[in-house]
Amino acid sequence: MSRIALLSEEVASQVAAGEVVERPASVVKELVENSLDAGAGRVEVRIARGGASLVRVVDDGCGMDRDDALLCLERHATSKIRSGADLATVATLGFRGEALPSIASVSRFTLSTREHDAISGTEIVVAGGRIREVRDGGEAPGTSIEVRSLFYNLPARRKFLRAENTEAGHVEHQLHLQAIGHPGTGFSFIRDGHLVFQLPPAPALRDRIRDLHGAGFLESLIPVGDGPPGPVTVSGLIGKPGVSRASRVQQIVFVNGRAIENPAINHALREGYHTALMKGQFPVTFLFLEMDPALVDVNVHPAKREVRFRDPSLVREAVTDAVRCAIENARGSWNEAFRPGPPAISPAPASAPPEAYPETPALIPEREQRVLRGDWSSFSPAPAGPAASAAGYESVGPAAPAAGYESVGPAAPAAGYENAPDSAGGFRILGVLGKLYVLMENASGLVLVDQHAAHERILFEELRRRMEQQGVPGQHLLLPPTIAVTPKDREWLLGNLGTLQRMGIGLEEFGPSTFKLDTLPEYLMGGDPAQTVRDIIDELRQAGSGASRVRMGEDVIATTVCRHAVKAHDTLREPELVKLIEDLLACELPYCCPHGRPTMIQISHAELEKKFGRRV
C-alpha cells in the first residue's frame, strides 16, 4: 500500500503560510510591500486586538481588474517575474507569489480593488482558502485588503501569538521600517480606532526621521554618502559617536529598498565605528545600499528578511569606508564648538610669585614618550602603587577643597567676564571637578572633559600612529609554541605572513598543518600566546582586505593605554590641562576614548537656563 500522497491544495497553502505568516506583523509586511510595488502614494493600516482580530491595508496604487484579482489568490501567481532568469534581477519587494494565498488560507479574507480608469471594481471574499463570493465593488481606485480572525482555523498557531500590546508593537515596528525605506509614501496607522501616527509624504529621509522620532533625535545623526562611485552605493544617516543602543533595534539597513538582516553588514558597521562604539553597544543606523540586483540574492528566505551577496567583502568594505568617512567628516562640525589651538586661558598676573607655576612634567610621562619614539621595552604594565605614580605624574599643588572642586589658575572676575570665550569658538578652563572632570566655558555654554578618557584617546592615537608608520618590533620567545591550523587557515596564513610580521607576530611554517610562533610584541605577552594569535587571526579574516591590519591589535592597545593614562584623582596643573585639551582637539577622533566612552560633554546655555527655571 502506498504511503505517500499529495497534500490537498488547502493543506499545502496552510503549510506555506507557516513560512510566510508568523504573526500579524508578517501580514502587514506582505500587504504593505504589495502596496508599494503597486506604486501607492498613501497607505493606511488599521488593526484591532494586536492584528489577530483585524488587519486592514488600504492603498491608492494601480489596482487590478477582475481576472488579476482572482489570479493573485492562486499560489505562485505574480506580476513581478516571468522566468527563472528574472530571479537574478528582482527589483521589487515581492516576487514569490505566496503571500496572498497563504494569508487567505489562515483567515477570513476580503479583497477589494479597482483600477483608476475602471467604472467599478471587484470584491472577493475568501474563508480558509476557499473563495466564497465574487462581486462588483464600489471602492476608491486602489486596493483594500481586510484580514479578520487570523489563524481561526489553526488554533494551535493562534496560541503562539503574544499579548495584544506585543503584537501591535511588532506591527508598528514593521510600519516604521517601511516608512523609513520609502519616505516618498504617506503612511497612517490606526490601532483599535485610535490614530497612532499619520506621516505625510516626505521629500527626504531626514524629514521622515524627524516625523517619526523628533527633531532632537535627528540632531544626533550624521549623514552618510557623497563617496566615490562604485558597484555599491551607501547613503543614509548614522548616529554620532556615543549614540548607540543595547540592541540592534535601531540598526536598520536597506538593500535596494528592502529592509534586510545580514551578518557581514553588522560586522562592517562595527568596524566602521571601531573605537567610537562601546563594547556591547550597537550603532543607530538608517543605511541604504544600492547595487545591481544581480549582485544580491533575495530568494534565500521565505519572508525575504535575509539576503546573500555575491561578493560579501565588497559590500563589507563599502559600508565600513562609508561609515568611517562619515565619522571623520563629522569632526569638522564637531570642531565648530571645539576648535584646535591654544585655549583662551587667563594669563598669570605679572605680580604672581615664581612658585605659582613651577616647572611641571610633560603631559605624557617620560616612559610613554620613550615608547612613542620607538623604545617599546619601556611600555610595560604600570607598577603597583598610587594611581598618580603609576601614571608617571607627581601629585602637586594644595589639596582640593572639601566640595571636590579644585581651582586652577587665577580665578575669573566676579563680574564683567573679561576673559569670556571669544566668538571664534575658543574656551576658557574654569577648574577641575572631583579631580576628574575639567570644567570649561565656551561660546555655547559649559563643557565637561573626562581627563582620563581624554588622555586615553591621546595615547591611543599616538601609539597606533607609531605602529602604522614603523611597525611593531617583536620579542623572541624562549620556547616557541606551535599552532595547529585547518587547511583554510593555513592557506590564509601563508598569504598574510607579512602583515602579521608588521604587527610583531612572527610565524613560520612548521609542517603541513602547523606553524611555529617565534615572536610576539611585548604588549601581547601574558596568557596563552597561541590562543591570542588565533583570536587576532580570526579578527583579521573577518575584517577583510580593506581594513587596516594594525587596527586588529587596537583592543590590546586600548587596554594598555588605559593603564598608563592619567587617572581620577591625579592632580594636573594648569599648563598640563592646557596641553591635554590641545592634544585632544588635535586627535582624529577626539569625542570618545578608545573604548567608545565620551571624552567631552557640552551643556548649552539653553539647558542651563531650563535647569534654573529661566526658560520653559
Side-chain angles (χ1 to χ4, degrees):
M1 179 179 177
S2 176
R3 295 187 297 174
I4 299 177
L6 287 172
L7 294 176
S8 67
E9 189 68 22
E10 180 180 354
V11 175
S13 295
Q14 291 178 356
V15 171
E19 299 177 339
V20 178
V21 186
E22 299 177 8
R23 59 198 331 157
S26 306
V27 175
V28 171
K29 172 184 179 294
E30 298 292 344
L31 298 183
V32 171
E33 285 183 350
N34 282 342
S35 297
L36 295 170
D37 286 339
R42 292 184 179 273
V43 178
E44 178 189 291
V45 178
R46 186 185 299 266
I47 67 171
R49 295 187 60 188
S53 175
L54 169 68
V55 172
R56 189 168 188 262
V57 178
V58 182
D59 66 62
D60 60 355
C62 62
M64 296 178 285
D65 59 20
R66 177 162 297 190
D67 291 341
D68 283 347
L70 288 169
L71 194 58
C72 76
L73 295 173
E74 300 292 332
R75 292 183 62 200
H76 308 301
T78 179
S79 62
K80 316 298 173 58
I81 60 174
R82 288 290 183 269
S83 65
D86 294 338
L87 286 173
T89 58
V90 172
T92 55
L93 299 176
F95 61 91
R96 298 172 65 93
E98 290 183 327
L100 290 184
S102 296
I103 295 169
S105 68
V106 292
S107 66
R108 294 186 170 90
F109 182 95
T110 302
L111 167 66
S112 301
T113 183
R114 179 160 76 93
E115 295 178 306
H116 284 258
D117 57 353
I119 298 175
S120 64
T122 301
E123 184 176 299
I124 303 175
V125 179
V126 185
R130 297 177 180 272
I131 296 179
R132 300 298 186 187
E133 190 174 358
V134 180
R135 56 185 178 232
D136 290 340
E139 294 283 347
T143 301
S144 170
I145 295 180
E146 187 174 273
V147 179
R148 291 185 177 273
S149 304
L150 186 63
F151 299 134
Y152 81 98
N153 53 347
L154 293 175
R157 288 292 304 276
R158 193 177 180 90
K159 291 179 181 178
F160 279 88
L161 296 181
R162 303 299 182 185
E164 293 180 12
N165 288 338
T166 302
E167 297 297 343
H170 284 285
V171 171
E172 186 171 356
H173 173 69
Q174 188 58 235
L175 285 176
H176 277 212
L177 288 180
Q178 302 296 347
I180 292 168
H182 304 84
T185 302
F187 286 85
S188 300
F189 179 41
I190 301 170
R191 175 188 174 188
D192 296 322
H194 300 286
L195 181 65
V196 178
F197 61 75
Q198 187 169 14
L199 304 173
L205 174 64
R206 295 182 62 87
D207 302 285
R208 180 52 55 87
I209 298 296
R210 184 183 59 246
D211 293 342
L212 280 172
H213 300 288
F217 179 79
L218 181 62
E219 291 177 358
S220 67
L221 305 178
I222 55 179
V224 177
D226 299 329
V232 180
T233 303
V234 183
S235 61
L237 299 168
I238 62 173
K240 295 178 180 179
V243 178
S244 60
R245 298 289 300 271
S247 67
R248 291 194 176 97
V249 66
Q250 281 189 319
Q251 186 173 303
I252 300 173
V253 180
F254 297 87
V255 173
N256 295 339
R258 184 193 310 277
I260 61 97
E261 299 172 1
N262 184 269
I265 293 180
N266 295 339
H267 181 80
L269 288 172
R270 175 161 289 280
E271 170 64 17
Y273 272 89
H274 203 55
T275 58
L277 189 68
M278 293 180 63
K279 284 191 174 182
Q281 295 290 303
F282 299 92
V284 174
T285 61
F286 302 93
L287 278 188
F288 291 77
L289 278 64
E290 298 292 335
M291 65 184 72
D292 186 344
L295 298 178
V296 55
D297 184 3
V298 299
N299 190 31
V300 297
H301 192 279
K304 304 182 287 295
R305 282 196 300 261
E306 301 173 6
V307 297
R308 182 181 295 120
F309 297 112
R310 176 176 295 181
D311 188 353
S313 62
L314 176 67
V315 177
R316 185 169 58 238
E317 291 168 16
V319 173
T320 299
D321 292 342
V323 171
R324 187 181 301 139
C325 289
I327 294 175
E328 291 174 356
N329 294 337
R331 188 183 186 280
S333 60
W334 186 86
N335 277 342
E336 289 297 324
F338 312 106
R339 295 186 180 180
I345 266 193
S346 307
S351 59
E355 61 271 20
Y357 294 103
E359 187 71 22
T360 57
L363 176 65
I364 300 178
E366 179 61 27
R367 180 173 47 174
E368 277 71 30
Q369 293 188 32
R370 291 198 301 271
V371 171
L372 300 181
R373 290 194 299 267
D375 183 5
W376 290 80
S377 62
S378 64
F379 206 78
S380 56
S389 300
Y393 285 92
E394 178 188 355
S395 181
V396 294
Y405 180 86
E406 179 186 352
S407 177
V408 292
Y417 298 96
E418 289 85 358
N419 298 309
D422 58 33
S423 59
F427 49 81
R428 178 165 61 94
I429 295 180
L430 304 176
V432 181
L433 179 65
K435 292 189 176 182
L436 176 59
Y437 302 107
V438 183
L439 304 181
M440 303 191 305
E441 180 185 8
N442 71 347
S444 300
L446 181 66
V447 181
L448 285 81
V449 180
D450 185 327
Q451 68 180 31
H452 174 70
H455 198 201
E456 272 190 299
R457 168 54 62 179
I458 295 166
L459 291 179
F460 175 82
E461 293 200 5
E462 288 288 346
L463 188 55
R464 185 182 66 183
R465 191 177 301 113
R466 177 65 61 179
M467 290 175 61
E468 291 177 343
Q469 292 174 353
Q470 301 181 2
V472 182
Q475 181 173 329
H476 287 277
L477 302 179
L478 184 62
L479 298 174
T482 57
I483 304 175
V485 298
T486 64
K488 285 187 177 181
D489 287 340
R490 176 181 178 275
E491 181 181 356
W492 185 89
L493 281 172
L494 290 175
N496 291 271
L497 288 177
T499 297
L500 294 171
Q501 187 69 45
R502 185 172 176 80
M503 295 179 62
I505 302 173
L507 287 172
E508 180 183 352
E509 196 170 7
F510 197 67
S513 59
T514 307
F515 283 80
K516 181 176 66 173
L517 178 61
D518 292 320
T519 61
L520 270 182
E522 185 172 353
Y523 65 85
L524 286 180
M525 291 296 185
D528 183 358
Q531 185 59 44
T532 299
V533 172
R534 288 192 189 97
D535 293 341
I536 291 179
I537 291 172
D538 289 342
E539 291 181 8
L540 283 170
R541 295 191 65 178
Q542 292 177 1
S545 59
S548 170
R549 298 305 193 184
V550 181
R551 293 171 67 117
M552 294 303 102
E554 288 185 355
D555 287 342
V556 180
I557 300 174
T559 302
T560 304
V561 299
C562 182
R563 295 195 297 263
H564 293 77
V566 295
K567 306 293 191 299
H569 307 300
D570 286 352
T571 303
L572 300 183
R573 299 180 183 178
E574 183 177 0
E576 292 180 301
L577 292 176
V578 174
K579 185 69 166 65
L580 179 74
I581 303 303
E582 288 177 350
D583 290 348
L584 176 63
L585 296 179
C587 289
E588 296 177 3
L589 198 65
Y591 20 65
C592 61
C593 77
H595 305 289
R597 294 188 297 105
T599 57
M600 277 192 181
I601 295 177
Q602 171 82 58
I603 303 177
S604 66
H605 288 297
E607 292 179 76
L608 292 172
E609 289 173 355
K610 286 182 180 179
K611 293 289 185 182
F612 285 99
R614 293 177 175 270
R615 175 183 295 194
V616 179

